[in-house]
Amino acid sequence: MNLSLMSLEISVVALGIVVLLADLWLPVQRKRALGYFAAAALGLLFLNSFTGNCSCASVGEAFGGMFIQDGLAVFFKRLFLLAGALVLILAVEFSDRIAAGISEYYSLIVFALAGMLFAASSNDFAMLFVSIEFITITFYVLTSFTRSKVAALEAGVKYLILGALSSAFMIYGIALVWGTTGKFNFSELAAVSANFATNKLFLFGVLFILVGLGFKIAAFPFQMWTPDVYQGAPTPTTAFLAIGSKAAGFVLLLRFLFGAIPEVTAQWTNLLIVISAITILYGNLCALPQRNLKRLLGYSSIAHAGYLLLGVAAMSTLGVNAATGGSAVLYYLGGYLFTTIAAFLVIALVLRHVESEDVAGLAGLQQRSPLLAATMTLAMVSLAGIPPLAGFFGKFLLLKAVIEQGATNGGFYCLAFVALAGVIISFFYYFSVIRAIYWSKETPVITPIVMSRPIQFAVWLTIAGMLYLGLFPDAVLKLTSEAVAVLK
Amino acid sequence: MTILTLIFLLPLLAAIALAFVPRNFAVVMRAVAVGVTFATMLLGILMFWQFNGAAADASGYKFVSTIPWLGAESLGIVCKLGVDGLNVGLVLMGAIVAFAAACCSFEIKSREKEFYILLLTMTGGILGAFMSLDLFFFYFFHELALVPTFIMIGVWGRGERKNFATFQITIYLSIGALLALIGLIALYLQLPADVRTFDIPTLTKYFTENPMTVSAQKFIFPLLLLGFGILVSLWPFHSWAALGYGSAPSATAMLHAGVLKKFGLYGLIRIAIPFAPEVARAHLQLIAWLALGNLLYVGWVAMKQKNLNLLIGNSSVAHMGMIFLGIASLNLIGVTGAVVIMIAHGFLAALTFGLSGYIYNQTGTLEMNELGGLAKKLRFVGVAFVMAAMAGCGLPGFLNFVGEVSVFFGAWQVPALRLVTVLAVWGALIIGAVYMLRAVRAALHGDMPEKWANLSDVNLWRQLPYALLIASLLVFGFFPRLLTDKIKPVTEQIVNMATVKPATPVTPAAVVMVESK
């Protein structure tokens, strides 16, 4: 046992408990600010992770190899901490729309974050399942937190039913894999998985586990829940779902595919190519007619899952330089963090008094708050993948990785063209959002939007992040390639 | 901070600075845009002036400078700028046209802030793209300039079909750019993993020493040709151009038709042809016939136009055919001529779109049956327009003549292209003259309808951009060696790279292909 490796997770769980307990003694009017405290604490933990005196600085295994601390885990933990801090700031802004129990809302976000941190380090089926359930169950509550709204309840129920179904698939898959191989630990499994590459039962098990993970990342055909849940859930929850939950799914996917069963993954390159292509097309095509902003971002998030799978597919060849695919996935997630949080910050602030989060609600934003208008524009432009923002460089890396593998499998060339088609389709709905901000016909409400200091900070941070990752990719690239180096 | 860094950073920094100016200071926006582009133009002229004396680096580029804080060295992406004979003229032309475009933006009366920010971004992007010696930034800056184009057409555009035009140009050009991007990435991946770089001089050196395999060329060259071809409105991918330019505000049309569009041609000459020579040679015939499509078919479409701006737009597409023909000839005279036309057409397109923009601003229409006799009222515009029309027909004295004549000489030297050349000469000289002179007659001569009695001519200050563009055409037209002496050494090198057979043995497929030619 090596508890010190887990000091980060322990601090985050402790933070969640502190927030819960503080609720007992704090006067009502001050509870709202508790979110700032939690966000600041997470921010400090994030900064601390770059110093030497953090568990992130050490490498190793704990609990008999269940828990692993390596470059990949550390990269994702930083990502999650940053996302958690930003989402908490957003939650404070949103708190007046939550009828009761705001402290519980904060603490649930912190607990979900803890689940993600564990997911980043899981090296074992038990850890994988427990961390996924940890995340998903907190999200069931977070999704239906505004329980007076029917849409939120509907979202919660849908997420619950489909989530439970996918968990069932996953646990069944784990049972099959364990039954055939007798291994629970990823590193041990990797040593023997090649022997089972033709074992039908084992392959079914793997497939079922992928079903569960596909649900988390919202890949086709497990994407059904995404638009409804994104639309119905409170905005901070949606934001956390979009980046945190998706990134957790991807780190588990990477660990499982490349840490536990690399030889089997190499057989399934074509499957990954097809899933990636369909996910891209499905997400982008379905986003086209959407008028609800959160629903639109839900479909766009499916499309982005597809783009991210480009990198996974490229990596699955295990060929020369295949790791660049994984590195591109990590980079893309980094850019996606700032971009989605920026978009949801704007949605939460601007569509405050609008019942339906319609795209038209952005009308006149240019007059109401030029800063938010610019933020939303940058976010959309970055999602569309246009220089000089993070989204462009991420897509560039993914495309590069895919074309690089074209020599081994011609399907990758087709995949590159599908990705291109997806990008072009996406221009329409992203630009329709921008058009609504600047050039809508209706005369909108022109009340200036007041922003608190922390929100302003969060907005500027996301802008800086999008530009930094778009213009100065070198430092983060180094981190991502170090992180994927641990996956063989 | 070298002169090239300044040239492209000035407009971009000004664009950022404008974002912080309150929107009611429209005059400030305008003054900043005009002032900054003027400074950029002066710097461009200075650079052009000093070009001959400047020291060249090992690969023949001058004023080479890198911006160390931009890019990703681990991937071989470095923001490196430099000019040689091929792009020095293009950068100068871009800087002059950008100033003219900023001057011609008087017509913008709403949302000046956004307009000038976009205009300056576009200027910076264009100049950056042409100066970039790094394939990644070459693409990056082009895209940076392209997106403002779409937004400007969508917002400040004119005409009933504005929305459709925006839609069409966005789709076409995005597809073109992304196809080219795939081609460029594939090109980059041809290098062994440890020496991969986007640096153009290094790539040139590498591909000279280790020619690309023909199978890779077969994948890459068609992608680049198609991608760049769409960006340059190569027939049959031209239909976005006329309508797009017809709907665009003058400044956007000037910058895009004049300068940004040349990106694709520049990419073909600088990258596609020298790096994938065997397959490029196999495609020359195809390029020549497609070029003929531009000259004859689009020329014929231009003749049928009833709207002055659509006519100019189509004529601008038709002129691209001449450049493609020059490239297809793949000899020293032809390619040099193509580069000269690229520069000449930049000035010319900017001039015609600027003038038609002024006429539209005065009359509110560009339907030629409603215009007529405008030269009586708009004396300066009339004279300038006639000069532009003459330049478009290739009248000696204008730079266009120099380029066209070289292209025809160059193309005639290639026996396989003789038929195309003959047809192209007809197309260029007869069809071009017919539609240009018709436009002049319909818009400027004849009886003037009553309603145009109170039009006013350009005042002295606003004559400046037009005069500047005409002067550029004439100066280089009379002293073409100012350009050709700079262009020739580079085109010679490129033509050599593309035509000399590689020293290492090629695969059998390539031999068969070369022999079957």
Side-chain angles (χ1 to χ4, degrees):
Chain A
M1 229 170 81
N2 190 352
L3 262 186
S4 68
L5 268 186
M6 282 173 59
S7 63
L8 181 64
E9 286 76 8
I10 294 171
S11 349
V12 170
V13 172
L15 176 67
I17 295 171
V18 166
V19 171
L20 263 189
L21 287 179
D23 183 48
L24 295 177
W25 292 288
L26 269 184
V28 178
Q29 67 273 22
R30 301 189 63 181
K31 280 182 185 166
R32 188 166 173 258
L34 207 53
Y36 290 141
F37 161 72
L42 292 183
L44 284 179
L45 285 175
F46 171 73
L47 292 180
N48 190 41
S49 76
F50 290 95
T51 63
N53 48 14
C54 162
S55 63
C56 294
S58 44
V59 172
E61 294 185 348
F63 300 100
M66 282 173 83
F67 182 96
I68 187 166
Q69 184 82 307
D70 54 12
L72 187 68
V74 170
F75 180 89
F76 273 95
K77 283 177 186 178
R78 286 175 182 152
L79 186 88
F80 293 137
L81 284 172
L82 198 55
L86 288 169
V87 167
L88 276 168
I89 296 179
L90 180 57
V92 177
E93 196 54 39
F94 197 81
S95 59
D96 50 349
R97 276 164 277 182
I98 289 174
I102 185 63
S103 321
E104 280 92 338
Y105 192 72
Y106 297 149
S107 65
L108 278 170
I109 290 177
V110 176
F111 284 134
L113 171 67
M116 293 169 193
L117 297 179
F118 280 116
S121 277
S122 29
N123 194 34
D124 180 291
F125 282 122
M127 273 293 280
L128 175 133
F129 186 72
V130 168
S131 55
I132 278 212
E133 288 301 283
F134 196 170
I135 301 169
T136 316
I137 290 175
T138 40
F139 265 113
Y140 295 148
V141 187
L142 283 172
T143 304
S144 41
F145 213 85
T146 48
R147 55 184 184 279
S148 53
K149 279 175 71 180
V150 180
L153 287 179
E154 185 195 331
V157 170
K158 271 188 183 149
Y159 194 46
L160 175 68
I161 293 176
L162 288 171
L165 185 69
S166 79
S167 294
F169 267 107
M170 180 181 260
I171 200 86
Y172 188 34
I174 292 175
L176 285 176
V177 169
W178 185 67
T180 46
T181 62
K183 306 286 182 199
F184 234 59
N185 186 291
F186 288 172
S187 322
E188 290 172 17
L189 185 58
V192 298
S193 68
N195 309 336
F196 293 90
T198 53
N199 184 324
K200 293 257 160 49
L201 269 184
F202 174 76
L203 292 180
F204 263 111
V206 171
L207 204 58
F208 286 163
I209 295 172
L210 290 183
V211 170
L213 293 175
F215 172 81
K216 294 258 32 119
I217 64 174
F220 184 89
F222 318 109
Q223 84 298 351
M224 282 302 169
W225 58 276
T226 319
D228 292 323
V229 174
Y230 273 51
Q231 182 179 4
T235 309
T237 309
T238 316
F240 208 25
L241 206 55
I243 175 65
S245 178
K246 193 184 287 290
F250 267 99
V251 66
L252 289 170
L253 190 69
L254 290 175
R255 275 231 197 270
F256 177 61
L257 285 180
F258 303 103
I261 50 158
E263 287 85 3
V264 181
T265 309
Q267 293 175 11
W268 284 2
T269 300
N270 283 330
L271 177 75
L272 286 167
I273 289 178
V274 170
I275 289 185
S276 166
I278 300 179
T279 311
I280 290 173
L281 289 179
Y282 179 91
N284 281 318
L285 286 172
C286 290
L288 273 180
Q290 302 306 327
R291 299 309 301 159
N292 180 299
L293 205 47
K294 276 159 81 180
R295 201 173 175 81
L296 185 144
L297 285 173
Y299 280 113
S300 123
S301 121
I302 298 175
H304 285 280
Y307 295 134
L308 286 160
L309 282 173
L310 290 175
V312 179
M315 198 174 172
S316 73
T317 60
L318 307 182
V320 190
N321 277 319
T324 53
S327 158
V329 169
L330 267 55
Y331 196 91
Y332 199 86
L333 278 169
Y336 193 62
L337 161 75
F338 293 110
T339 315
T340 38
I341 299 269
F344 284 111
L345 272 172
V346 175
I347 292 178
L349 284 167
V350 177
L351 304 178
R352 170 183 293 271
H353 304 298
V354 193
E355 193 50 45
S356 65
E357 283 112 346
D358 203 80
V359 176
L362 291 173
L365 180 58
Q366 164 62 23
Q367 283 90 39
R368 297 174 68 191
S369 164
L371 174 62
L372 288 182
T375 313
M376 194 65 172
T377 310
L378 287 177
M380 291 300 128
V381 167
S382 173
L383 285 174
I386 291 167
L389 296 168
F392 167 73
F393 204 82
K395 284 208 178 72
F396 167 77
L397 290 174
L398 287 170
L399 271 180
K400 182 172 86 64
V402 165
I403 298 173
E404 192 165 11
Q405 298 306 319
T408 58
N409 183 336
F412 281 110
Y413 288 132
C414 305
L415 188 56
F417 286 109
V418 170
L420 277 195
V423 170
I424 291 164
I425 297 169
S426 72
F427 281 177
F428 290 99
Y429 59 88
Y430 291 131
F431 283 145
S432 79
V433 175
I434 298 178
R435 200 167 59 197
I437 297 175
Y438 292 92
W439 301 290
S440 48
K441 292 265 188 300
E442 307 112 76
T443 39
V445 247
I446 310 199
T447 43
I449 296 170
V450 199
M451 284 186 282
S452 61
R453 276 285 156 81
I455 276 286
Q456 279 182 9
F457 169 75
V459 165
W460 281 109
L461 186 69
T462 55
I463 293 180
M466 284 188 275
L467 283 169
Y468 178 77
L469 287 177
L471 286 171
F472 314 107
D474 232 8
V476 180
L477 262 180
K478 202 170 286 168
L479 285 181
T480 60
S481 47
E482 277 166 19
V484 288
V486 304
L487 298 169
K488 284 292 171 297
Chain B
M1 183 121 337
T2 64
I3 190 159
L4 291 188
T5 335
L6 263 180
I7 288 179
F8 101 97
L9 271 186
L10 256 184
L12 290 180
L13 292 179
I16 296 173
L18 278 192
F20 295 96
V21 178
R23 56 178 45 259
N24 15 2
F25 293 94
V27 184
V28 178
M29 314 273 173
R30 210 182 135 58
V32 169
V34 172
V36 166
T37 47
F38 183 68
T40 312
M41 180 180 75
L42 289 185
L43 285 169
I45 294 173
L46 183 68
M47 174 208 64
F48 191 79
W49 190 256
Q50 292 180 342
F51 180 81
N52 280 340
D57 74 350
S59 347
Y61 293 94
K62 302 189 176 183
F63 305 112
V64 175
S65 48
T66 48
I67 303 180
W69 35 268
L70 219 59
E73 229 154 305
S74 54
L75 292 176
I77 301 175
V78 179
C79 185
K80 188 166 156 192
L81 307 167
V83 285
D84 64 358
L86 189 56
N87 55 357
V88 66
L90 288 166
V91 171
L92 172 71
M93 184 268 282
I96 294 178
V97 170
F99 172 64
C103 289
C104 288
S105 300
F106 281 101
E107 58 179 44
I108 302 300
K109 297 280 186 256
S110 63
R111 303 174 191 276
E112 289 94 341
K113 178 173 172 174
E114 286 86 1
F115 185 85
Y116 287 111
I117 290 179
L118 291 173
L119 187 74
L120 288 169
T121 312
M122 199 173 163
T123 306
I126 288 173
L127 295 172
F130 282 115
M131 292 190 291
S132 170
L133 291 186
D134 181 282
L135 276 189
F136 178 84
F137 280 100
F138 171 69
Y139 180 84
F140 180 95
F141 286 129
H142 171 257
E143 197 81 340
L144 194 63
L146 197 55
V147 176
T149 317
F150 307 148
I151 303 177
M152 284 157 106
I153 298 176
V155 180
W156 294 272
R158 53 196 176 208
E160 289 159 14
R161 299 173 68 197
K162 173 177 97 175
N163 287 339
F164 176 70
T166 315
F167 174 84
Q168 200 185 22
I169 197 171
T170 309
I171 292 292
Y172 262 101
L173 296 189
S174 304
I175 293 179
L178 288 169
L179 285 175
L181 176 65
I182 293 200
L184 295 179
I185 294 178
L187 191 78
Y188 158 83
L189 293 173
Q190 290 305 311
L191 270 65
D194 47 335
V195 294
R196 270 185 200 155
T197 174
F198 282 96
D199 188 50
I200 293 177
T202 318
L203 284 170
T204 314
K205 190 158 171 288
Y206 180 85
F207 285 124
T208 322
E209 287 159 8
N210 320 285
M212 207 189 293
T213 61
V214 171
S215 58
Q217 292 186 20
K218 275 187 182 159
F219 174 67
I220 292 172
F221 186 79
L223 268 176
L224 290 179
L225 178 63
L226 187 62
F228 287 142
I230 292 175
L231 292 179
V232 199
S233 64
L234 176 63
W235 186 85
F237 309 107
H238 66 281
S239 55
W240 57 270
L243 185 61
Y245 295 147
S247 311
S250 342
T252 314
M254 291 165 79
L255 272 175
H256 192 280
V259 202
L260 189 55
K261 204 182 185 185
K262 309 296 182 300
F263 169 85
L265 296 160
Y266 175 67
L268 274 179
I269 298 178
R270 173 79 90 198
I271 294 153
I273 291 180
F275 290 176
E278 276 93 21
V279 177
R281 280 203 302 273
H283 280 75
L284 289 181
Q285 278 284 331
L286 174 74
I287 298 179
W289 284 99
L290 293 180
L292 202 59
N294 276 58
L295 283 166
L296 294 185
Y297 177 79
V298 183
W300 179 66
V301 172
M303 275 165 61
K304 297 275 167 197
Q305 294 304 321
K306 306 237 178 311
N307 180 303
L308 185 61
N309 235 6
L310 289 179
L311 183 143
I312 298 173
N314 275 304
S315 92
S316 142
V317 176
H319 278 117
M320 293 301 115
M322 212 98 69
I323 305 176
F324 276 112
L325 183 63
I327 294 175
S329 73
L330 204 57
N331 54 32
L332 182 58
I333 304 178
V335 179
T336 310
V339 179
V340 171
I341 306 185
M342 277 160 73
I343 297 167
H345 180 262
F347 292 127
L348 174 65
L351 179 61
T352 45
F353 280 116
L355 290 170
S356 78
Y358 185 81
I359 296 176
Y360 178 81
N361 213 18
Q362 290 280 311
T363 61
T365 179
L366 283 173
E367 296 300 322
M368 282 191 280
N369 54 12
E370 289 186 42
L371 302 173
L374 292 184
K376 291 185 185 120
K377 273 297 186 185
L378 311 177
R379 284 167 188 280
F380 178 83
V381 171
V383 171
F385 200 93
V386 171
M387 289 176 94
M390 290 301 149
C393 303
L395 193 74
F398 292 101
L399 182 57
N400 305 62
F401 169 76
V402 179
E404 290 176 18
V405 121
S406 319
V407 164
F408 291 138
F409 285 161
W412 185 256
Q413 283 183 2
V414 184
L417 294 181
R418 292 244 160 113
L419 176 62
V420 178
T421 313
V422 171
L423 291 171
V425 173
W426 277 87
L429 299 185
I430 310 297
I431 299 181
V434 168
Y435 63 71
M436 272 305 187
L437 295 180
R438 267 192 186 170
V440 167
R441 188 181 65 189
L444 301 174
H445 296 162
D447 295 330
M448 189 178 65
E450 280 295 298
K451 56 182 170 180
W452 307 137
N454 49 2
L455 296 187
S456 57
D457 199 7
V458 246
N459 61 33
L460 199 60
W461 161 239
R462 290 203 201 174
Q463 290 174 359
L464 179 66
Y466 307 119
L468 191 68
L469 292 168
I470 295 176
S472 312
L473 279 174
L474 286 171
V475 167
F476 288 120
F478 277 96
F479 306 102
R481 291 190 62 174
L482 284 176
L483 286 174
T484 50
D485 281 355
K486 296 185 173 67
I487 300 170
K488 243 176 9 198
V490 187
T491 43
E492 192 165 14
Q493 187 192 345
I494 287 170
V495 167
N496 280 344
M497 254 187 105
T499 48
V500 172
K501 290 211 175 112
T504 49
V506 286
T507 55
V511 177
V512 172
M513 221 161 56
V514 173
E515 280 169 357
S516 66
K517 267 184 71 188

